[in-house]
Amino acid sequence: MSTFRYAILGAAKIAAKFCQAASMVKDCQVCAVASKSLERAKVFAGKNGIPKAYGSYEELLDREKPDCAYIAVTANDHYRLAMMCVERGVPVLCEKAMFQNSAEAESLFAQAKERGVFVMEAMWSRFLPTTKRVKQWLAQDRIGIPEISKLSIGFIAPEGADNRYFNPELGGGAARDITVYAYEITTYVLEQEIRKMEVSAVRGDTGVDINNHISIEFQHTLADLATSFVANMDSGMALYGRKGKIIWPNPHFSSECFLYDQDGTLVEHFVDKETENGFTYELEETIRCIGQGLLESQVVPWKDTLECARLFDRIDGCCAER
């Protein structure tokens, strides 16, 4: 088997974790990195053992013709670079949130379908062993049908109007940074039709959303999602059924989950002792899908990424001024 060649667009911190993951995947390498700054790309390449560095995204894609491009820039530029790749026939693995709005998602996916190019949002949390275990418990009816689901993620983001958290020009805001996790994890583990959804949000001084609250009426489950950039919350997910409950700390990067019976007795505590770098799973899934000629992954299908982008539309439309 020939070596699968990833190229990285954007020399961000998260891309360093991607490089480490690539080194742990069989027959896989990062062949090049590009940044708007050639010097920054060279420094990143040197630190992460990447053979080539470019100061132009277009030049990298045209010269290297990688098997897949991993997009690691700030969210505001995801669509432009993803389209740049698709137009060249280069598959895409793009960091979350992949899109700013549904118009971007619809446009990109239409082009990818027309040109036959694989595209996937890098929602790494869906691949983690704890996520698989929670889905397994639900499939085995260990707690019965989930009646109530609650998920919260909240922290006090670094202050500064120009950072990626609060700068609207960089795609800032809680929705695209953490609500994307809350929504895409909830919909993935419940796997139910959404009948009704109510959305509320608060806008901060820089104009981006800082608090989100989403209430979802699924076919069988009532779900509550709360996220914040300005409050330290107990990040976790809880699923309650008639037979018991599942407690899942930090589901977006978790290493453990707990199963309780209807009397509140702990009956199983799953601990992930194997994962060294959680990015490896999404790299392997991308390689598998491209190798099989697929355009999308069933773990992170286009429809789920599109629905989350439509949620961003609603959050942007309902934000209240503080």
Side-chain angles (χ1 to χ4, degrees), residues 269-302:
H269 175 201
F270 174 77
V271 180
D272 175 15
K273 297 180 179 179
E274 298 181 1
T275 303
E276 296 180 47
N277 182 320
F279 280 22
T280 57
Y281 305 118
E282 64 184 11
L283 271 74
E284 291 169 342
E285 172 73 354
T286 299
I287 294 170
R288 183 190 68 81
C289 289
I290 293 173
Q292 294 181 4
L294 303 176
L295 300 189
E296 57 183 305
S297 163
Q298 289 306 301
V299 180
V300 192
W302 293 355

PDB file of all heavy atoms in Angstrom, residues 269-302:
ATOM      1  N   HIS A 269     -18.242   1.352  34.668  1.00  0.00           N
ATOM      2  CA  HIS A 269     -17.423   2.552  34.513  1.00  0.00           C
ATOM      3  C   HIS A 269     -16.430   2.272  33.396  1.00  0.00           C
ATOM      4  O   HIS A 269     -15.513   1.467  33.565  1.00  0.00           O
ATOM      5  CB  HIS A 269     -16.697   2.881  35.822  1.00  0.00           C
ATOM      6  CG  HIS A 269     -15.746   4.032  35.714  1.00  0.00           C
ATOM      7  ND1 HIS A 269     -14.707   4.224  36.610  1.00  0.00           N
ATOM      8  CD2 HIS A 269     -15.665   5.065  34.825  1.00  0.00           C
ATOM      9  CE1 HIS A 269     -14.036   5.307  36.281  1.00  0.00           C
ATOM     10  NE2 HIS A 269     -14.601   5.835  35.204  1.00  0.00           N
ATOM     11  N   PHE A 270     -16.658   2.882  32.250  1.00  0.00           N
ATOM     12  CA  PHE A 270     -15.758   2.669  31.104  1.00  0.00           C
ATOM     13  C   PHE A 270     -14.658   3.716  31.105  1.00  0.00           C
ATOM     14  O   PHE A 270     -14.917   4.914  31.208  1.00  0.00           O
ATOM     15  CB  PHE A 270     -16.521   2.738  29.788  1.00  0.00           C
ATOM     16  CG  PHE A 270     -15.628   2.667  28.576  1.00  0.00           C
ATOM     17  CD1 PHE A 270     -15.095   1.453  28.169  1.00  0.00           C
ATOM     18  CD2 PHE A 270     -15.307   3.813  27.868  1.00  0.00           C
ATOM     19  CE1 PHE A 270     -14.258   1.385  27.069  1.00  0.00           C
ATOM     20  CE2 PHE A 270     -14.478   3.754  26.761  1.00  0.00           C
ATOM     21  CZ  PHE A 270     -13.950   2.529  26.356  1.00  0.00           C
ATOM     22  N   VAL A 271     -13.422   3.270  30.983  1.00  0.00           N
ATOM     23  CA  VAL A 271     -12.266   4.155  30.902  1.00  0.00           C
ATOM     24  C   VAL A 271     -11.476   3.823  29.637  1.00  0.00           C
ATOM     25  O   VAL A 271     -11.099   2.657  29.428  1.00  0.00           O
ATOM     26  CB  VAL A 271     -11.346   4.023  32.139  1.00  0.00           C
ATOM     27  CG1 VAL A 271     -10.154   4.963  32.011  1.00  0.00           C
ATOM     28  CG2 VAL A 271     -12.116   4.314  33.415  1.00  0.00           C
ATOM     29  N   ASP A 272     -11.252   4.802  28.814  1.00  0.00           N
ATOM     30  CA  ASP A 272     -10.474   4.624  27.590  1.00  0.00           C
ATOM     31  C   ASP A 272      -8.985   4.669  27.940  1.00  0.00           C
ATOM     32  O   ASP A 272      -8.443   5.730  28.239  1.00  0.00           O
ATOM     33  CB  ASP A 272     -10.825   5.727  26.589  1.00  0.00           C
ATOM     34  CG  ASP A 272      -9.970   5.677  25.330  1.00  0.00           C
ATOM     35  OD1 ASP A 272      -9.313   4.640  25.096  1.00  0.00           O
ATOM     36  OD2 ASP A 272      -9.957   6.682  24.594  1.00  0.00           O
ATOM     37  N   LYS A 273      -8.335   3.525  27.892  1.00  0.00           N
ATOM     38  CA  LYS A 273      -6.918   3.433  28.243  1.00  0.00           C
ATOM     39  C   LYS A 273      -6.024   3.260  27.014  1.00  0.00           C
ATOM     40  O   LYS A 273      -4.809   3.102  27.157  1.00  0.00           O
ATOM     41  CB  LYS A 273      -6.700   2.260  29.208  1.00  0.00           C
ATOM     42  CG  LYS A 273      -7.422   2.410  30.539  1.00  0.00           C
ATOM     43  CD  LYS A 273      -7.152   1.219  31.442  1.00  0.00           C
ATOM     44  CE  LYS A 273      -7.854   1.378  32.794  1.00  0.00           C
ATOM     45  NZ  LYS A 273      -7.611   0.217  33.687  1.00  0.00           N
ATOM     46  N   GLU A 274      -6.626   3.292  25.846  1.00  0.00           N
ATOM     47  CA  GLU A 274      -5.863   3.021  24.625  1.00  0.00           C
ATOM     48  C   GLU A 274      -5.537   4.267  23.805  1.00  0.00           C
ATOM     49  O   GLU A 274      -4.489   4.336  23.165  1.00  0.00           O
ATOM     50  CB  GLU A 274      -6.642   2.035  23.753  1.00  0.00           C
ATOM     51  CG  GLU A 274      -6.857   0.677  24.409  1.00  0.00           C
ATOM     52  CD  GLU A 274      -7.599  -0.278  23.501  1.00  0.00           C
ATOM     53  OE1 GLU A 274      -7.922   0.117  22.351  1.00  0.00           O
ATOM     54  OE2 GLU A 274      -7.856  -1.412  23.926  1.00  0.00           O
ATOM     55  N   THR A 275      -6.418   5.239  23.818  1.00  0.00           N
ATOM     56  CA  THR A 275      -6.236   6.401  22.950  1.00  0.00           C
ATOM     57  C   THR A 275      -5.083   7.280  23.416  1.00  0.00           C
ATOM     58  O   THR A 275      -5.073   7.761  24.536  1.00  0.00           O
ATOM     59  CB  THR A 275      -7.527   7.235  22.887  1.00  0.00           C
ATOM     60  OG1 THR A 275      -8.600   6.414  22.441  1.00  0.00           O
ATOM     61  CG2 THR A 275      -7.357   8.417  21.944  1.00  0.00           C
ATOM     62  N   GLU A 276      -4.133   7.506  22.541  1.00  0.00           N
ATOM     63  CA  GLU A 276      -3.015   8.408  22.816  1.00  0.00           C
ATOM     64  C   GLU A 276      -3.247   9.774  22.172  1.00  0.00           C
ATOM     65  O   GLU A 276      -2.878  10.807  22.719  1.00  0.00           O
ATOM     66  CB  GLU A 276      -1.705   7.815  22.296  1.00  0.00           C
ATOM     67  CG  GLU A 276      -1.288   6.525  22.987  1.00  0.00           C
ATOM     68  CD  GLU A 276       0.016   5.982  22.435  1.00  0.00           C
ATOM     69  OE1 GLU A 276       0.968   6.772  22.284  1.00  0.00           O
ATOM     70  OE2 GLU A 276       0.077   4.782  22.144  1.00  0.00           O
ATOM     71  N   ASN A 277      -3.846   9.757  21.004  1.00  0.00           N
ATOM     72  CA  ASN A 277      -4.180  10.988  20.295  1.00  0.00           C
ATOM     73  C   ASN A 277      -5.502  10.737  19.586  1.00  0.00           C
ATOM     74  O   ASN A 277      -5.577   9.951  18.643  1.00  0.00           O
ATOM     75  CB  ASN A 277      -3.080  11.335  19.287  1.00  0.00           C
ATOM     76  CG  ASN A 277      -3.331  12.642  18.550  1.00  0.00           C
ATOM     77  OD1 ASN A 277      -4.459  12.944  18.172  1.00  0.00           O
ATOM     78  ND2 ASN A 277      -2.289  13.419  18.325  1.00  0.00           N
ATOM     79  N   GLY A 278      -6.558  11.402  20.047  1.00  0.00           N
ATOM     80  CA  GLY A 278      -7.897  11.167  19.530  1.00  0.00           C
ATOM     81  C   GLY A 278      -8.104  11.537  18.080  1.00  0.00           C
ATOM     82  O   GLY A 278      -9.114  11.155  17.477  1.00  0.00           O
ATOM     83  N   PHE A 279      -7.160  12.254  17.481  1.00  0.00           N
ATOM     84  CA  PHE A 279      -7.281  12.621  16.072  1.00  0.00           C
ATOM     85  C   PHE A 279      -7.043  11.430  15.142  1.00  0.00           C
ATOM     86  O   PHE A 279      -7.417  11.473  13.975  1.00  0.00           O
ATOM     87  CB  PHE A 279      -6.295  13.734  15.728  1.00  0.00           C
ATOM     88  CG  PHE A 279      -6.736  15.110  16.131  1.00  0.00           C
ATOM     89  CD1 PHE A 279      -7.676  15.303  17.131  1.00  0.00           C
ATOM     90  CD2 PHE A 279      -6.199  16.235  15.527  1.00  0.00           C
ATOM     91  CE1 PHE A 279      -8.080  16.566  17.514  1.00  0.00           C
ATOM     92  CE2 PHE A 279      -6.586  17.511  15.903  1.00  0.00           C
ATOM     93  CZ  PHE A 279      -7.532  17.681  16.890  1.00  0.00           C
ATOM     94  N   THR A 280      -6.378  10.390  15.643  1.00  0.00           N
ATOM     95  CA  THR A 280      -6.035   9.270  14.762  1.00  0.00           C
ATOM     96  C   THR A 280      -7.279   8.651  14.129  1.00  0.00           C
ATOM     97  O   THR A 280      -7.244   8.218  12.975  1.00  0.00           O
ATOM     98  CB  THR A 280      -5.264   8.182  15.524  1.00  0.00           C
ATOM     99  OG1 THR A 280      -6.040   7.741  16.651  1.00  0.00           O
ATOM    100  CG2 THR A 280      -3.912   8.697  16.003  1.00  0.00           C
ATOM    101  N   TYR A 281      -8.375   8.617  14.870  1.00  0.00           N
ATOM    102  CA  TYR A 281      -9.584   7.959  14.369  1.00  0.00           C
ATOM    103  C   TYR A 281     -10.149   8.656  13.139  1.00  0.00           C
ATOM    104  O   TYR A 281     -10.586   8.006  12.189  1.00  0.00           O
ATOM    105  CB  TYR A 281     -10.641   7.885  15.472  1.00  0.00           C
ATOM    106  CG  TYR A 281     -10.155   7.211  16.729  1.00  0.00           C
ATOM    107  CD1 TYR A 281     -10.090   7.900  17.945  1.00  0.00           C
ATOM    108  CD2 TYR A 281      -9.744   5.879  16.717  1.00  0.00           C
ATOM    109  CE1 TYR A 281      -9.648   7.290  19.104  1.00  0.00           C
ATOM    110  CE2 TYR A 281      -9.295   5.252  17.879  1.00  0.00           C
ATOM    111  CZ  TYR A 281      -9.243   5.967  19.064  1.00  0.00           C
ATOM    112  OH  TYR A 281      -8.804   5.359  20.208  1.00  0.00           O
ATOM    113  N   GLU A 282     -10.177   9.992  13.152  1.00  0.00           N
ATOM    114  CA  GLU A 282     -10.724  10.702  12.006  1.00  0.00           C
ATOM    115  C   GLU A 282      -9.783  10.640  10.809  1.00  0.00           C
ATOM    116  O   GLU A 282     -10.234  10.636   9.658  1.00  0.00           O
ATOM    117  CB  GLU A 282     -11.061  12.158  12.359  1.00  0.00           C
ATOM    118  CG  GLU A 282      -9.880  13.008  12.742  1.00  0.00           C
ATOM    119  CD  GLU A 282     -10.285  14.417  13.174  1.00  0.00           C
ATOM    120  OE1 GLU A 282     -11.493  14.659  13.371  1.00  0.00           O
ATOM    121  OE2 GLU A 282      -9.381  15.271  13.314  1.00  0.00           O
ATOM    122  N   LEU A 283      -8.481  10.562  11.057  1.00  0.00           N
ATOM    123  CA  LEU A 283      -7.526  10.376   9.960  1.00  0.00           C
ATOM    124  C   LEU A 283      -7.746   9.019   9.300  1.00  0.00           C
ATOM    125  O   LEU A 283      -7.785   8.916   8.068  1.00  0.00           O
ATOM    126  CB  LEU A 283      -6.087  10.477  10.465  1.00  0.00           C
ATOM    127  CG  LEU A 283      -5.436  11.856  10.476  1.00  0.00           C
ATOM    128  CD1 LEU A 283      -6.009  12.709  11.607  1.00  0.00           C
ATOM    129  CD2 LEU A 283      -3.922  11.740  10.624  1.00  0.00           C
ATOM    130  N   GLU A 284      -7.907   7.998  10.124  1.00  0.00           N
ATOM    131  CA  GLU A 284      -8.125   6.648   9.594  1.00  0.00           C
ATOM    132  C   GLU A 284      -9.447   6.554   8.835  1.00  0.00           C
ATOM    133  O   GLU A 284      -9.525   5.889   7.796  1.00  0.00           O
ATOM    134  CB  GLU A 284      -8.097   5.637  10.737  1.00  0.00           C
ATOM    135  CG  GLU A 284      -6.716   5.468  11.358  1.00  0.00           C
ATOM    136  CD  GLU A 284      -6.736   4.681  12.655  1.00  0.00           C
ATOM    137  OE1 GLU A 284      -7.822   4.556  13.267  1.00  0.00           O
ATOM    138  OE2 GLU A 284      -5.667   4.208  13.067  1.00  0.00           O
ATOM    139  N   GLU A 285     -10.479   7.212   9.344  1.00  0.00           N
ATOM    140  CA  GLU A 285     -11.777   7.207   8.670  1.00  0.00           C
ATOM    141  C   GLU A 285     -11.680   7.898   7.317  1.00  0.00           C
ATOM    142  O   GLU A 285     -12.245   7.420   6.318  1.00  0.00           O
ATOM    143  CB  GLU A 285     -12.833   7.910   9.534  1.00  0.00           C
ATOM    144  CG  GLU A 285     -14.183   8.128   8.867  1.00  0.00           C
ATOM    145  CD  GLU A 285     -15.014   6.869   8.718  1.00  0.00           C
ATOM    146  OE1 GLU A 285     -14.508   5.769   9.029  1.00  0.00           O
ATOM    147  OE2 GLU A 285     -16.175   6.981   8.285  1.00  0.00           O
ATOM    148  N   THR A 286     -10.961   9.004   7.260  1.00  0.00           N
ATOM    149  CA  THR A 286     -10.773   9.725   5.997  1.00  0.00           C
ATOM    150  C   THR A 286     -10.051   8.851   4.978  1.00  0.00           C
ATOM    151  O   THR A 286     -10.468   8.764   3.814  1.00  0.00           O
ATOM    152  CB  THR A 286      -9.975  11.012   6.244  1.00  0.00           C
ATOM    153  OG1 THR A 286     -10.705  11.861   7.137  1.00  0.00           O
ATOM    154  CG2 THR A 286      -9.726  11.758   4.940  1.00  0.00           C
ATOM    155  N   ILE A 287      -8.992   8.204   5.406  1.00  0.00           N
ATOM    156  CA  ILE A 287      -8.225   7.332   4.514  1.00  0.00           C
ATOM    157  C   ILE A 287      -9.104   6.184   4.016  1.00  0.00           C
ATOM    158  O   ILE A 287      -9.083   5.833   2.829  1.00  0.00           O
ATOM    159  CB  ILE A 287      -6.977   6.790   5.240  1.00  0.00           C
ATOM    160  CG1 ILE A 287      -6.004   7.942   5.556  1.00  0.00           C
ATOM    161  CG2 ILE A 287      -6.276   5.725   4.399  1.00  0.00           C
ATOM    162  CD1 ILE A 287      -4.862   7.551   6.482  1.00  0.00           C
ATOM    163  N   ARG A 288      -9.887   5.590   4.913  1.00  0.00           N
ATOM    164  CA  ARG A 288     -10.768   4.483   4.537  1.00  0.00           C
ATOM    165  C   ARG A 288     -11.807   4.926   3.516  1.00  0.00           C
ATOM    166  O   ARG A 288     -12.026   4.254   2.502  1.00  0.00           O
ATOM    167  CB  ARG A 288     -11.475   3.936   5.787  1.00  0.00           C
ATOM    168  CG  ARG A 288     -12.369   2.734   5.518  1.00  0.00           C
ATOM    169  CD  ARG A 288     -13.227   2.385   6.719  1.00  0.00           C
ATOM    170  NE  ARG A 288     -14.241   3.388   6.997  1.00  0.00           N
ATOM    171  CZ  ARG A 288     -15.402   3.464   6.346  1.00  0.00           C
ATOM    172  NH1 ARG A 288     -15.679   2.608   5.365  1.00  0.00           N
ATOM    173  NH2 ARG A 288     -16.280   4.399   6.653  1.00  0.00           N
ATOM    174  N   CYS A 289     -12.450   6.055   3.776  1.00  0.00           N
ATOM    175  CA  CYS A 289     -13.500   6.534   2.880  1.00  0.00           C
ATOM    176  C   CYS A 289     -12.950   6.863   1.492  1.00  0.00           C
ATOM    177  O   CYS A 289     -13.542   6.483   0.467  1.00  0.00           O
ATOM    178  CB  CYS A 289     -14.179   7.766   3.476  1.00  0.00           C
ATOM    179  SG  CYS A 289     -15.211   7.439   4.918  1.00  0.00           S
ATOM    180  N   ILE A 290     -11.837   7.549   1.447  1.00  0.00           N
ATOM    181  CA  ILE A 290     -11.241   7.915   0.165  1.00  0.00           C
ATOM    182  C   ILE A 290     -10.797   6.662  -0.576  1.00  0.00           C
ATOM    183  O   ILE A 290     -10.978   6.536  -1.797  1.00  0.00           O
ATOM    184  CB  ILE A 290     -10.059   8.891   0.371  1.00  0.00           C
ATOM    185  CG1 ILE A 290     -10.593  10.239   0.902  1.00  0.00           C
ATOM    186  CG2 ILE A 290      -9.286   9.094  -0.927  1.00  0.00           C
ATOM    187  CD1 ILE A 290      -9.504  11.214   1.307  1.00  0.00           C
ATOM    188  N   GLY A 291     -10.241   5.709   0.157  1.00  0.00           N
ATOM    189  CA  GLY A 291      -9.815   4.457  -0.454  1.00  0.00           C
ATOM    190  C   GLY A 291     -10.966   3.682  -1.065  1.00  0.00           C
ATOM    191  O   GLY A 291     -10.799   2.959  -2.058  1.00  0.00           O
ATOM    192  N   GLN A 292     -12.154   3.829  -0.494  1.00  0.00           N
ATOM    193  CA  GLN A 292     -13.345   3.133  -0.987  1.00  0.00           C
ATOM    194  C   GLN A 292     -14.134   3.963  -1.995  1.00  0.00           C
ATOM    195  O   GLN A 292     -15.191   3.547  -2.470  1.00  0.00           O
ATOM    196  CB  GLN A 292     -14.252   2.755   0.186  1.00  0.00           C
ATOM    197  CG  GLN A 292     -13.636   1.715   1.112  1.00  0.00           C
ATOM    198  CD  GLN A 292     -14.559   1.342   2.263  1.00  0.00           C
ATOM    199  OE1 GLN A 292     -15.694   1.789   2.355  1.00  0.00           O
ATOM    200  NE2 GLN A 292     -14.058   0.517   3.170  1.00  0.00           N
ATOM    201  N   GLY A 293     -13.630   5.157  -2.310  1.00  0.00           N
ATOM    202  CA  GLY A 293     -14.286   5.996  -3.296  1.00  0.00           C
ATOM    203  C   GLY A 293     -15.540   6.688  -2.795  1.00  0.00           C
ATOM    204  O   GLY A 293     -16.378   7.114  -3.591  1.00  0.00           O
ATOM    205  N   LEU A 294     -15.678   6.814  -1.474  1.00  0.00           N
ATOM    206  CA  LEU A 294     -16.847   7.471  -0.895  1.00  0.00           C
ATOM    207  C   LEU A 294     -16.680   8.983  -0.915  1.00  0.00           C
ATOM    208  O   LEU A 294     -15.562   9.498  -0.851  1.00  0.00           O
ATOM    209  CB  LEU A 294     -17.058   6.993   0.542  1.00  0.00           C
ATOM    210  CG  LEU A 294     -17.218   5.482   0.746  1.00  0.00           C
ATOM    211  CD1 LEU A 294     -17.317   5.168   2.239  1.00  0.00           C
ATOM    212  CD2 LEU A 294     -18.432   4.966  -0.005  1.00  0.00           C
ATOM    213  N   LEU A 295     -17.784   9.693  -0.944  1.00  0.00           N
ATOM    214  CA  LEU A 295     -17.748  11.159  -0.906  1.00  0.00           C
ATOM    215  C   LEU A 295     -17.946  11.695   0.500  1.00  0.00           C
ATOM    216  O   LEU A 295     -17.605  12.849   0.777  1.00  0.00           O
ATOM    217  CB  LEU A 295     -18.817  11.745  -1.832  1.00  0.00           C
ATOM    218  CG  LEU A 295     -18.722  11.381  -3.319  1.00  0.00           C
ATOM    219  CD1 LEU A 295     -19.722  12.213  -4.112  1.00  0.00           C
ATOM    220  CD2 LEU A 295     -17.310  11.567  -3.848  1.00  0.00           C
ATOM    221  N   GLU A 296     -18.524  10.869   1.373  1.00  0.00           N
ATOM    222  CA  GLU A 296     -18.751  11.314   2.744  1.00  0.00           C
ATOM    223  C   GLU A 296     -18.685  10.136   3.705  1.00  0.00           C
ATOM    224  O   GLU A 296     -18.806   8.971   3.309  1.00  0.00           O
ATOM    225  CB  GLU A 296     -20.099  12.015   2.876  1.00  0.00           C
ATOM    226  CG  GLU A 296     -21.292  11.182   2.454  1.00  0.00           C
ATOM    227  CD  GLU A 296     -22.596  11.958   2.531  1.00  0.00           C
ATOM    228  OE1 GLU A 296     -22.912  12.509   3.615  1.00  0.00           O
ATOM    229  OE2 GLU A 296     -23.315  12.014   1.507  1.00  0.00           O
ATOM    230  N   SER A 297     -18.482  10.463   4.971  1.00  0.00           N
ATOM    231  CA  SER A 297     -18.415   9.460   6.032  1.00  0.00           C
ATOM    232  C   SER A 297     -19.793   9.300   6.661  1.00  0.00           C
ATOM    233  O   SER A 297     -20.525  10.274   6.822  1.00  0.00           O
ATOM    234  CB  SER A 297     -17.416   9.903   7.105  1.00  0.00           C
ATOM    235  OG  SER A 297     -17.595   9.183   8.312  1.00  0.00           O
ATOM    236  N   GLN A 298     -20.122   8.080   7.049  1.00  0.00           N
ATOM    237  CA  GLN A 298     -21.378   7.848   7.738  1.00  0.00           C
ATOM    238  C   GLN A 298     -21.297   8.270   9.204  1.00  0.00           C
ATOM    239  O   GLN A 298     -22.327   8.412   9.867  1.00  0.00           O
ATOM    240  CB  GLN A 298     -21.775   6.370   7.633  1.00  0.00           C
ATOM    241  CG  GLN A 298     -22.206   5.965   6.231  1.00  0.00           C
ATOM    242  CD  GLN A 298     -23.320   6.855   5.697  1.00  0.00           C
ATOM    243  OE1 GLN A 298     -24.392   6.953   6.278  1.00  0.00           O
ATOM    244  NE2 GLN A 298     -23.060   7.502   4.573  1.00  0.00           N
ATOM    245  N   VAL A 299     -20.097   8.463   9.719  1.00  0.00           N
ATOM    246  CA  VAL A 299     -19.937   8.934  11.099  1.00  0.00           C
ATOM    247  C   VAL A 299     -20.175  10.439  11.174  1.00  0.00           C
ATOM    248  O   VAL A 299     -20.798  10.941  12.114  1.00  0.00           O
ATOM    249  CB  VAL A 299     -18.541   8.580  11.645  1.00  0.00           C
ATOM    250  CG1 VAL A 299     -18.372   9.085  13.084  1.00  0.00           C
ATOM    251  CG2 VAL A 299     -18.314   7.068  11.592  1.00  0.00           C
ATOM    252  N   VAL A 300     -19.667  11.165  10.180  1.00  0.00           N
ATOM    253  CA  VAL A 300     -19.895  12.617  10.102  1.00  0.00           C
ATOM    254  C   VAL A 300     -20.418  12.929   8.701  1.00  0.00           C
ATOM    255  O   VAL A 300     -19.718  13.493   7.866  1.00  0.00           O
ATOM    256  CB  VAL A 300     -18.608  13.420  10.383  1.00  0.00           C
ATOM    257  CG1 VAL A 300     -18.942  14.907  10.592  1.00  0.00           C
ATOM    258  CG2 VAL A 300     -17.860  12.888  11.588  1.00  0.00           C
ATOM    259  N   PRO A 301     -21.662  12.554   8.410  1.00  0.00           N
ATOM    260  CA  PRO A 301     -22.217  12.778   7.074  1.00  0.00           C
ATOM    261  C   PRO A 301     -22.496  14.252   6.805  1.00  0.00           C
ATOM    262  O   PRO A 301     -22.641  15.055   7.727  1.00  0.00           O
ATOM    263  CB  PRO A 301     -23.511  11.961   7.091  1.00  0.00           C
ATOM    264  CG  PRO A 301     -23.912  11.933   8.539  1.00  0.00           C
ATOM    265  CD  PRO A 301     -22.617  11.871   9.308  1.00  0.00           C
ATOM    266  N   TRP A 302     -22.589  14.578   5.545  1.00  0.00           N
ATOM    267  CA  TRP A 302     -22.824  15.971   5.144  1.00  0.00           C
ATOM    268  C   TRP A 302     -24.095  16.533   5.757  1.00  0.00           C
ATOM    269  O   TRP A 302     -24.138  17.703   6.148  1.00  0.00           O
ATOM    270  CB  TRP A 302     -22.926  16.063   3.617  1.00  0.00           C
ATOM    271  CG  TRP A 302     -21.644  15.760   2.900  1.00  0.00           C
ATOM    272  CD1 TRP A 302     -20.415  15.517   3.456  1.00  0.00           C
ATOM    273  CD2 TRP A 302     -21.472  15.661   1.486  1.00  0.00           C
ATOM    274  NE1 TRP A 302     -19.495  15.270   2.473  1.00  0.00           N
ATOM    275  CE2 TRP A 302     -20.105  15.352   1.252  1.00  0.00           C
ATOM    276  CE3 TRP A 302     -22.330  15.786   0.396  1.00  0.00           C
ATOM    277  CZ2 TRP A 302     -19.594  15.185  -0.044  1.00  0.00           C
ATOM    278  CZ3 TRP A 302     -21.819  15.621  -0.893  1.00  0.00           C
ATOM    279  CH2 TRP A 302     -20.465  15.332  -1.106  1.00  0.00           C
TER     280      TRP A 302
END
